[in-house]
Amino acid sequence: MQNYNLNERIPAKGYAVAHKDDSFKPFSFTRHPVGENDILIEIAYAGICHSDIHSARSEWREGIYPMVPGHEIAGRVVAIGSKVSKFKVGDLAGVGCMVNSCGECEACKKSQEQFCQRGQTVFTYDCKDCFHGDEPTYGGYSNNIVVSEKFAIKVPDGAPLEKVAPLLCAGITTYSPLKFSKIKTGSKVGVAGFGGLGMMAVKYAIKMGAEVSVFARNENKKVDAKTMGVKNFYTTLNGVDECFDLIISTIPTPYDPMDYIQLLKYGGELAIVGLPPRDVSPDINITSLVFNAGKKVYGSLIGGIKETQEMLDFSLKHEIYPETEIIRADQINEAYDKLTSGRAKFRYVIDMNTL
Ligand code: NDP
Ligand code: ZN
């Protein structure tokens, strides 16, 4: 364990891109000092989410560069501020997509911090930190992170950190809509897009007692799906003759949501979590929607901190873990290529000891 002076800026190193067309290269930087309510975590593993790719490549909006992505973070607490009560040095901890918010508005009080009504949600990277002079945030493709204790998730001793990391985004983003749509034994759930998020949606839905079908682009992962307990695996929407209570779309590319709305039961719901690039973001045809009346479409954005802790506890209790492939830090570019060319399986997780 390194020695840190908590009152000074914390030296950090990681991997960054300098602009949207850049490849990842080693990058040294500093993080803000450890405030009285902050903890300092040495990162053991960080998952690669497709949002990292969208962000690094400025696919949603112009990113803030240099950019160190990563919001699926698991590691060990190595220092704590004077008023920290939730953690002690040596504890395991996780960090997801947010590192701070106002804590006082209605949304924050309901632990929906991702919707802070004062607009003060501080996302883990590619965001201006309004609590620290608007400095840019840097994510988990790095050796450490300083975070307000309220935004760190407690991880019990002995938990497999390389499996915990992806739960902090892929896990909560799929757990949350399944709970919101009250999925239970006998529900019929479809999962569109079978990557990092899709795999977690499948696992949670099956644990909640649902009958689950997957919509993918090819049969590459059909065997994996069947092993997880998936009933039907579709590579085309033609001839699908079942109807769903809920379809979760994790698709990160252009598609027509109407194709999935048509497959819902009366009263069924389409939860959209996948966020295709801005230029190719799908529209919903209003006429088709009206003639498919009685169905609901909603978006879902990660989940609040309270629900994230609930999701983690649920996952560990039932041993619901992501399928992961551990990579070295110098393999991030290769992983991005695989994730955008249909050659990836589920979740790449960077071993930070290889920095
Ligand atoms: P992955 O790349 O791991 O998985 C995406 C999967 O979708 C791949 O298996 C891919 O298949 C498949 N796919 C792509 N296009 C289609 C299509 N037209 N029809 C069916 N399947 C398709 O990405 P993630 O799971 O990490 O992320 C998915 C999306 O969710 C991203 O847009 C991400 O930004 C977003 N996201 C949203 C969050 C939220 O809070 N709402 C939080 C986290 C992520 P193939 O292997 O063939 O390419
Ligand atoms: Zn993510």
Side-chain angles (χ1 to χ4, degrees):
M1 204 186 288
Q2 206 174 316
N3 272 332
Y4 297 95
N5 182 343
L6 304 191
N7 299 318
E8 288 179 6
R9 293 190 67 82
I10 306 294
K13 60 179 180 173
Y15 268 67
V17 283
H19 54 81
K20 75 179 180 57
D21 300 312
D22 197 15
S23 56
F24 281 93
K25 298 181 186 74
F27 174 63
S28 293
F29 58 105
T30 61
R31 297 189 180 276
H32 64 71
V34 180
E36 52 188 18
N37 297 309
D38 294 338
I39 63 172
L40 172 62
I41 299 171
E42 272 183 7
I43 301 175
Y45 294 97
I48 297 182
C49 175
H50 209 111
S51 298
D52 300 348
I53 303 178
H54 294 308
S55 304
R57 297 182 174 173
S58 287
E59 290 179 348
W60 295 328
R61 59 166 176 76
E62 184 59 30
I64 304 172
Y65 299 97
M67 189 190 300
V68 178
H71 57 207
E72 295 186 336
I73 298 167
R76 192 174 288 280
V77 178
V78 292
I80 59 172
S82 57
K83 292 197 175 155
V84 166
S85 57
K86 200 168 129 185
F87 292 92
K88 55 185 191 327
V89 170
D91 285 354
L92 301 184
V95 180
C97 299
M98 304 177 273
V99 289
N100 221 333
S101 75
C102 86
E104 288 160 11
C105 71
E106 206 178 319
C108 287
K109 281 191 173 148
K110 285 186 182 153
S111 195
Q112 290 288 309
E113 300 88 349
Q114 69 275 37
F115 306 121
C116 173
Q117 285 156 323
R118 294 188 189 160
Q120 293 179 346
T121 309
V122 181
F123 291 98
T124 306
Y125 66 85
D126 191 24
C127 184
K128 287 184 179 168
D129 182 349
C130 58
F131 300 97
H132 296 93
D134 272 351
E135 69 176 32
T137 52
Y138 294 117
Y141 298 3
S142 60
N143 63 334
N144 63 35
I145 189 162
V146 181
V147 56
S148 160
E149 68 162 334
K150 283 192 200 146
F151 284 76
I153 305 299
K154 284 187 79 72
V155 179
D157 267 347
L161 288 183
E162 75 283 9
K163 300 281 182 191
V164 165
L167 296 176
L168 280 320
C169 175
I172 182 59
T173 303
T174 49
Y175 178 88
S176 186
L178 287 164
K179 295 296 268 190
F180 188 77
S181 288
K182 302 189 170 55
I183 291 311
K184 56 182 188 306
T185 304
S187 301
K188 279 176 76 90
V189 173
V191 176
F194 190 46
L197 265 60
M199 140 194 77
M200 291 312 303
V202 163
K203 292 191 179 202
Y204 289 132
I206 288 176
K207 187 70 208 174
M208 292 169 189
E211 187 183 292
V212 179
S213 295
V214 160
F215 299 94
R217 293 201 281 201
N218 53 54
E219 301 222 322
N220 294 353
K221 291 184 271 189
K222 184 172 178 176
V223 173
D224 302 273
K226 292 285 175 184
T227 309
M228 289 175 201
V230 165
K231 183 154 181 265
N232 295 310
F233 191 93
Y234 300 108
T235 53
T236 168
L237 296 166
N238 296 330
V240 175
D241 65 355
E242 53 174 339
C243 292
F244 297 89
D245 295 292
L246 172 70
I247 296 179
I248 299 183
S249 171
T250 74
I251 297 176
T253 62
Y255 70 103
D256 186 354
M258 222 48 235
D259 292 343
Y260 294 100
I261 293 171
Q262 280 163 3
L263 296 178
L264 297 173
K265 287 180 189 170
Y266 183 78
E269 300 177 0
L270 173 65
I272 298 182
V273 298
L275 276 164
R278 176 184 45 196
D279 298 347
V280 293
S281 186
D283 290 325
I284 294 183
N285 182 301
I286 295 298
T287 310
S288 303
L289 193 62
V290 171
F291 278 87
N292 267 277
K295 301 169 180 183
K296 302 173 199 163
V297 181
Y298 69 91
S300 193
L301 182 67
I302 47 174
I305 294 299
K306 186 162 169 262
E307 194 177 33
T308 305
Q309 186 70 59
E310 178 190 310
M311 170 282 309
L312 188 70
D313 297 345
F314 179 85
S315 307
L316 295 177
K317 179 175 170 201
H318 298 291
E319 298 187 350
I320 302 172
Y321 294 126
E323 306 298 311
T324 50
E325 185 177 332
I326 309 285
I327 61 167
R328 299 186 309 270
D330 64 6
Q331 292 177 300
I332 298 172
N333 296 309
E334 196 185 317
Y336 273 40
D337 287 345
K338 288 185 179 161
L339 280 160
T340 46
S341 61
R343 288 180 294 134
K345 253 192 144 176
F346 294 109
R347 216 27 149 212
Y348 292 109
V349 175
I350 311 162
D351 177 355
M352 285 310 159
N353 276 320
T354 64
L355 260 183

